[in-house]
Amino acid sequence: MASEFPAPEYRGAQETALRRICEAFDAGNDVVLVRAPTGSGKSLLARAVAGCAKTPGETDHVESYGAYYTTPQVSQLDDVAGDALLDDFSIIRGKGNYDCILPGETETPVTEAPCARETGFDCPVKHRCPYFSDRAIASNRNIAAMTLAYFMQTAGSDVFGKRDVVVIDEAHGLAEWAEMYATIELSPERVPVWDACQPPEVGGLTDVEGYAERLVRVCDRRAEELRSKAELSRAEVAERDRLSELTRELQWFLEDARDPESPTTWVVDQPDGAATALTVKPMDPARYLHHTVWDRGNKFALLSATILDKRAFCAGTGLAPDDVALVDVPHTFPLEHRPLYDVTCGKMTYERRDETLPAVARTLVRLMAHHPDEKGLVHAHSYAIADRLASRLAEMGVGDRVRTHDSANRDAALASWKREESNAVFVSVKMEEALDLRGDLCRWQVICKAPYPNTRDSRVARRLEDDQWGWYYRTALRTVIQAAGRVVRAPDDYGATYLADSSLVDLFERARHDMPDWFAEQVDAMTTPDLPAFDASAANAGASGGGVGGSQGGVGDTGDSSDAPSLDDHPLGDVWETD
């Protein structure tokens, strides 16, 4: 395995980690969990493991050679694609990411190109089509790299069959990602034949099964009508593809829900009654993972900084703990380079937020004065909190130094902020993972709220009814640890993480036994910093403009601009508001 390591030399504990991974596989484990701190170079470890996959000359089983590399994060795949040390990863993306190259169609995605619109269309340049070219190359190269969504969607395909090794990066949320991918949303926006087949008032799973059967029949009839046409419009192509996708989803649900041996529990949400949207969600979809993941390889390496409890992870993903090894990689970054600071201002629960949020905003102004020449990141947790914080900061006179985003421009706004050579502070939502802010890209960050899962989500509520509080605290702790790793990316890098919600301190106490040792060291070393007094002019010194209300845009146009009680007035209060 060492011979497959792509870098000229090891960094930190990489050599030790590779040896332990190799020993774990040699001991007969088909699945190895690699718990490696953020910034420890997991992608290079992933390349070394993938490089050990059997080649065609080493096996008689044509479906069992080569490797897959997959990650749930698109940004992580982008990082891999841009890493010269990983240039033998053959990247394939979903068809919608490619444009047709035919004259007059160069702004048409491949999903809506003439080959998708016209029956029997013989593309004269198919051999040069960017999508089919990348797919052909990836299917024939030793290491095919793709997002987890694409990987799961290609389960059962002739092109991407079973391989010898599967490496999953950022694997800590595998069960949750599988639940999300297997969730079926039935609404006017997601069901093309909605007007012809609206749902009844759903009283239980049996009602959903009956509606799903009727909906499949209606979808089949409409799909047949579309197939009978010689040429489709782009809108009809999108409708046809959605009908096909929806039919597969419903058939999978019916098969699984009626299988007495299936471990999956299905829950249903229909808050507004008959003829309104409903969502069918799986819990612990182990069977779904077997079909889409575990049947796709012989050996698996799952890498993450935050696989906090091996048995809980295995239970959620359908793995037998005794057949799974856990390799712990120590943190080699100096503790003083990755400090945590207590600047708690009170609880950010719904009931207490009105009194706490202004104090958080004032603390942010003091931190901006404390870091006058350095860029900062604020993890606002929700668009509602981000909007209120940005408004408060503008009122306090520091708006020129603040950058924001909404759900539509988040990637562009992030890229723009990263390019700035300034001291701008970026108020972000759901950027706790897969964000590399090495060096002067960011030197300090603030976590504004304990990121507990949304207790109004039916799956979360069901787990808490089943007394799965350990899962609840682990999920929040996992997000905090991921967030803490955004600003320290190398041994010589440094960055401070400030905790503004006192519920975070409580979380650390409740989830202490699930903490990796290296993060527990950070918690134990946490201190209260000596910050300058509130001074907006000092905080705004050096601001370059283009802040709140400027070129970056605000966050108030996302449909989540206020703390609506319907979102998080649960007695627990600590919820994950969604955009």
Side-chain angles (χ1 to χ4, degrees):
M1 192 174 289
S3 64
E4 295 293 338
F5 190 73
E9 59 185 24
Y10 294 106
R11 190 184 78 185
Q14 289 173 331
E15 185 174 18
T16 300
L18 273 185
R19 187 185 72 251
R20 291 178 181 173
I21 293 169
C22 189
E23 290 171 351
F25 280 123
D26 288 345
N29 298 286
D30 290 336
V31 181
V32 176
L33 311 181
V34 183
R35 184 163 58 191
T38 301
S40 58
K42 291 190 294 296
S43 295
L44 301 184
L45 298 178
R47 166 59 184 82
V49 174
C52 293
K54 293 177 181 177
T55 60
E58 295 177 290
T59 176
D60 294 330
H61 303 289
V62 69
E63 78 278 8
S64 299
Y65 60 80
Y68 289 116
Y69 169 88
T70 183
T71 172
Q73 303 286 356
V74 174
S75 58
Q76 185 77 12
L77 191 66
D78 292 340
D79 290 342
V80 167
D83 192 333
L85 294 174
L86 305 174
D87 59 1
D88 59 348
F89 277 32
S90 187
I91 309 293
I92 176 65
R93 304 176 189 274
K95 190 182 293 188
N97 293 282
Y98 299 85
D99 287 334
C100 181
I101 59 173
L102 285 170
E105 300 283 354
T106 53
E107 295 185 1
T108 303
V110 174
T111 49
E112 300 173 2
C115 60
R117 300 197 307 262
E118 300 177 27
T119 301
F121 181 81
D122 185 13
C123 181
V125 294
K126 184 174 181 179
H127 63 290
R128 293 193 289 112
C129 173
Y131 170 69
F132 287 104
S133 175
D134 276 5
R135 191 182 72 165
I137 293 170
S139 67
N140 286 288
R141 292 285 175 83
N142 194 49
I143 305 174
M146 59 195 71
T147 63
L148 185 63
Y150 187 86
F151 180 67
M152 288 182 165
Q153 288 166 6
T154 56
S157 75
D158 295 331
V159 178
F160 293 108
K162 185 176 183 180
R163 293 201 174 192
D164 185 42
V165 172
V166 177
V167 179
I168 303 178
D169 207 349
E170 302 296 340
H172 50 272
L174 186 56
E176 288 84 352
W177 283 96
E179 288 181 354
M180 184 184 74
Y181 295 145
T183 292
I184 306 171
E185 296 181 13
L186 303 175
S187 66
E189 296 75 27
R190 299 291 293 160
V191 178
V193 292
W194 179 265
D195 290 341
C197 190
Q198 294 182 357
E201 183 169 356
V202 172
L205 202 59
T206 301
D207 294 338
V208 180
E209 291 175 14
Y211 175 60
E213 285 183 326
R214 288 194 293 112
L215 187 53
V216 166
R217 291 194 294 270
V218 176
C219 287
D220 285 344
R221 286 198 298 270
R222 176 56 180 160
E224 186 62 32
E225 292 174 5
L226 293 173
R227 284 194 293 267
S228 67
K229 292 188 174 185
E231 183 173 353
L232 302 178
S233 66
R234 292 175 64 171
E236 288 174 327
V237 168
E239 180 184 0
R240 179 200 62 195
D241 292 346
R242 175 55 190 152
L243 287 168
S244 176
E245 178 186 39
L246 179 58
T247 298
R248 289 195 302 271
E249 292 174 351
L250 293 170
Q251 288 173 338
W252 168 262
F253 158 70
L254 288 169
E255 179 184 344
D256 188 85
R258 291 169 174 173
D259 182 356
E261 303 298 321
S262 174
T264 309
T265 298
W266 294 88
V267 294
V268 182
D269 289 334
Q270 191 190 36
D272 299 319
T276 65
L278 64 89
T279 306
V280 188
K281 305 175 183 179
M283 292 179 58
D284 300 325
R287 186 169 179 235
Y288 180 81
L289 281 169
H290 272 285
H291 168 63
T292 58
V293 177
W294 307 132
D295 289 344
R296 307 283 298 282
N298 297 324
K299 304 277 187 183
F300 295 83
L302 312 182
L303 296 84
S304 173
T306 50
I307 297 177
L308 302 181
D309 183 286
K310 173 187 165 182
R311 289 195 169 273
F313 179 86
C314 290
T317 54
L319 296 171
D322 293 342
D323 298 331
V324 177
L326 174 63
V327 172
D328 251 323
V329 179
H331 211 317
T332 58
F333 297 0
L335 182 61
E336 60 271 20
H337 287 190
R338 46 188 172 95
L340 297 177
Y341 290 111
D342 183 349
V343 294
T344 53
C345 305
K347 289 184 177 294
M348 284 288 286
T349 57
Y350 176 74
E351 292 83 0
R352 302 284 295 277
R353 194 172 304 164
D354 284 346
E355 62 187 79
T356 303
L357 190 139
V360 172
R362 289 183 64 86
T363 298
L364 280 172
V365 173
R366 297 175 67 192
L367 286 169
M368 292 163 73
H370 190 55
H371 296 273
D373 303 315
E374 296 174 329
K375 294 169 79 171
L377 176 70
V378 178
H379 296 284
H381 180 77
S382 74
Y383 283 104
I385 293 174
D387 190 25
R388 294 180 64 182
L389 277 177
S391 296
R392 283 275 178 175
L393 292 171
E395 291 169 2
M396 292 174 177
V398 297
D400 284 347
R401 192 174 165 184
V402 175
R403 306 292 181 266
T404 61
H405 71 88
D406 58 35
S407 58
N409 75 351
R410 55 180 285 129
D411 292 340
L414 173 63
S416 177
W417 171 70
K418 289 172 69 174
R419 286 193 300 268
E420 284 192 46
E421 293 184 3
S422 69
N423 62 356
V425 178
F426 191 61
V427 180
S428 71
V429 178
K430 293 182 177 61
M431 292 190 182
E432 296 91 349
E433 297 188 28
L435 181 60
D436 186 343
L437 297 176
R438 64 184 64 222
D440 292 335
L441 284 176
C442 188
R443 289 298 184 189
W444 59 281
Q445 61 180 345
V446 181
I447 302 177
C448 289
K449 186 180 185 302
Y452 287 111
N454 185 354
T455 53
R456 287 193 173 275
D457 184 293
S458 54
R459 284 171 298 198
V460 176
R462 179 67 173 265
R463 287 189 171 103
L464 296 187
E465 288 172 7
D466 293 340
D467 208 28
Q468 296 183 35
W469 290 95
W471 167 86
Y472 185 70
Y473 295 123
R474 275 193 305 274
T475 301
L477 176 64
R478 193 175 71 195
T479 303
V480 173
I481 295 174
Q482 287 286 336
R486 295 311 99 206
V487 297
V488 186
R489 310 297 299 181
D492 58 349
D493 200 1
Y494 61 90
T497 299
Y498 298 93
L499 309 179
D501 181 2
S502 57
S503 294
L504 289 162
V505 178
D506 177 66
L507 169 64
F508 291 161
E509 293 178 0
R510 292 178 181 273
R512 176 73 187 209
H513 64 286
D514 287 318
M515 281 185 190
D517 291 342
W518 54 266
F519 190 74
E521 291 175 351
Q522 288 177 249
V523 172
D524 290 342
M526 183 167 59
T527 59
T528 300
D530 184 15
L531 299 180
F534 179 89
D535 184 343
S537 60
N540 210 34
S544 59
V548 175
S551 63
Q552 294 293 319
V555 296
D557 56 347
T558 65
D560 189 18
S561 60
S562 65
D563 283 333
S566 62
L567 287 177
D568 67 350
D569 62 348
H570 187 279
L572 292 172
D574 290 311
V575 302
W576 193 302
E577 296 163 281
T578 57
D579 54 82

